[in-house]
């Protein structure tokens, strides 16, 4: 716990610097969330073509392989440049002593326009893990954010189980490792980002109209 807390001490400061930079550039941000070991880092590497160092994001089969939020620039047709941020993997029943330490890195999620919720569709209990992540998002106040679900490792999943999860979550079946379904996933993200941008534009127009009334 001491090691993890030390690793996360400087996250808040760097997060604030990144947030200001994104606001200046007005680039859409997609936060990749999900249960630990769901394949979030592998998906980020696939999205940004970061196969080699120094752009490649650590993707290992172990708990908390990703501690510090890592951002990479990608491109989505119909949207243009986007920032994709890989966040720490969630777990059920996070020890209370670690909750405070992880809150600073999980707050990175709140800066996003859209959440990309990655689920390991090949592991037993995928539905339970998805629900566990949703509970944590709700506790953080992010449950109502626009979200696209990626059912990862679809190539290794039981077909019947995968079909049930697609129907239950309205998710996109993908394999980040084998580059399967990524085009469809990008289309879903483009739709979600487009809806957010249109809503923001409508809000700005309404604000301008109200301001004009008092001139």
């Amino acid at each position: 716990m001491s090691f993890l807390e030390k690793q996360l001490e400087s996250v808040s400061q760097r997060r604030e610097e990144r947030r200001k930079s994104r606001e200046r550039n007005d680039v859409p941000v997609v936060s990749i969330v999900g249960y630990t070991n769901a394949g979030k880092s592998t998906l980020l590497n696939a999205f940004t073509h970061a196969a080699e160092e120094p752009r490649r994001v650590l993707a290992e089969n172990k708990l908390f392989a990703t501690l510090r939020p890592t951002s990479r620039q990608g491109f989505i047709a119909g949207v243009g440049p986007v920032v994709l941020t890989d966040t720490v993997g969630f777990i059920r029943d996070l020890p209370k002593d670690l909750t405070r330490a992880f809150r600073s890195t999980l707050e990175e999620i709140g800066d996003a326009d859209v959440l990309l919720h990655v689920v390991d569709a090949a592991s037993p209990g995928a539905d339970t893990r998805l629900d566990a992540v949703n509970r944590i998002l709700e506790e953080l106040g992010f449950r109502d954010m626009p979200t696209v679900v990626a059912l990862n490792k679809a190539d290794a999943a039981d077909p019947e189980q995968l079909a049930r999860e697609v129907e239950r979550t309205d998710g996109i079946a993908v394999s980040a490792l084998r580059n399967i379904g990524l085009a469809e996933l990008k289309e879903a993200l483009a739709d979600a980002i487009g809806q957010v941008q249109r809503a923001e534009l409508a809000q700005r127009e309404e604000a301008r109209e109200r301001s004009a009334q008092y001139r």
Side-chain angles (χ1 to χ4, degrees), residues 149-168:
V149 176
L151 299 169
N152 194 27
K153 307 181 186 179
D155 55 314
D158 176 77
E160 293 185 359
Q161 177 183 329
L162 180 62
R164 286 194 298 269
E165 288 304 304
V166 168
E167 182 176 359
R168 186 174 83 95

Side-chain angles (χ1 to χ4, degrees), residues 110-140:
D111 295 335
D113 297 285
V114 172
L115 301 185
L116 175 55
H117 186 167
V118 183
V119 181
D120 180 355
S123 293
D127 55 343
T128 301
R129 295 182 178 187
L130 182 145
D131 292 340
V133 171
N134 284 338
R135 282 196 300 272
I136 296 173
L137 290 172
E138 186 169 3
E139 290 172 6
L140 293 169

Side-chain angles (χ1 to χ4, degrees), residues 85-96:
T85 301
D86 183 20
T87 61
V88 64
F90 293 15
I91 62 169
R92 290 194 303 270
D93 304 323
L94 186 68
K96 291 183 178 180

Side-chain angles (χ1 to χ4, degrees), residues 41 44-45 48-60 70 72:
S41 298
L44 176 59
N45 287 332
T48 57
H49 306 290
E52 299 178 357
E53 296 289 359
R55 286 179 53 81
R56 183 172 60 86
V57 177
L58 176 66
E60 292 185 354
T70 302
R72 294 288 186 270

Side-chain angles (χ1 to χ4, degrees), residues 15 17-27 29 71 83 85 108 111:
R15 170 180 168 266
E17 292 171 355
R18 288 195 300 270
R19 183 186 64 79
K20 291 179 180 178
S21 175
R22 290 168 190 164
E23 287 180 348
R24 287 194 298 269
N25 296 328
D26 196 27
V27 176
V29 178
S71 297
V83 172
T85 301
E108 175 89 6
D111 295 335

Side-chain angles (χ1 to χ4, degrees), residues 37-212:
N37 255 355
K40 299 184 304 301
S41 298
T42 304
L43 183 58
L44 176 59
N45 287 332
F47 258 33
T48 57
H49 306 290
E52 299 178 357
E53 296 289 359
R55 286 179 53 81
R56 183 172 60 86
V57 177
L58 176 66
E60 292 185 354
N61 184 24
K62 68 179 184 180
L63 191 64
F64 301 140
T66 301
L67 287 176
R68 184 177 294 117
T70 302
S71 297
R72 294 288 186 270
Q73 182 168 302
F75 182 90
I76 296 180
V79 176
V82 298
V83 172
L84 298 115
T85 301
D86 183 20
T87 61
V88 64
F90 293 15
I91 62 169
R92 290 194 303 270
D93 304 323
L94 186 68
K96 291 183 178 180
D97 290 340
L98 282 180
T99 301
R100 176 179 55 82
F102 275 102
R103 184 168 293 276
S104 61
T105 187
L106 292 176
E107 284 175 351
E108 175 89 6
I109 298 167
D111 295 335
D113 297 285
V114 172
L115 301 185
L116 175 55
H117 186 167
V118 183
V119 181
D120 180 355
S123 293
D127 55 343
T128 301
R129 295 182 178 187
L130 182 145
D131 292 340
V133 171
N134 284 338
R135 282 196 300 272
I136 296 173
L137 290 172
E138 186 169 3
E139 290 172 6
L140 293 169
F142 303 144
R143 184 66 183 92
D144 294 331
M145 292 181 65
T147 304
V148 174
V149 176
L151 299 169
N152 194 27
K153 307 181 186 179
D155 55 314
D158 176 77
E160 293 185 359
Q161 177 183 329
L162 180 62
R164 286 194 298 269
E165 288 304 304
V166 168
E167 182 176 359
R168 186 174 83 95
T169 66
D170 195 26
I172 310 296
V174 305
S175 172
L177 190 62
R178 300 188 181 279
N179 199 27
I180 297 172
L182 299 189
E184 292 83 354
L185 182 57
K186 288 183 178 181
E187 289 179 5
L189 287 171
D191 288 343
I193 292 171
Q195 291 178 23
V196 170
Q197 291 176 331
R198 288 190 291 273
E200 290 177 348
L201 179 60
Q203 290 175 354
R204 287 196 293 267
E205 289 292 338
E206 182 179 355
R208 278 196 290 268
E209 291 176 359
R210 289 181 179 178
S211 178

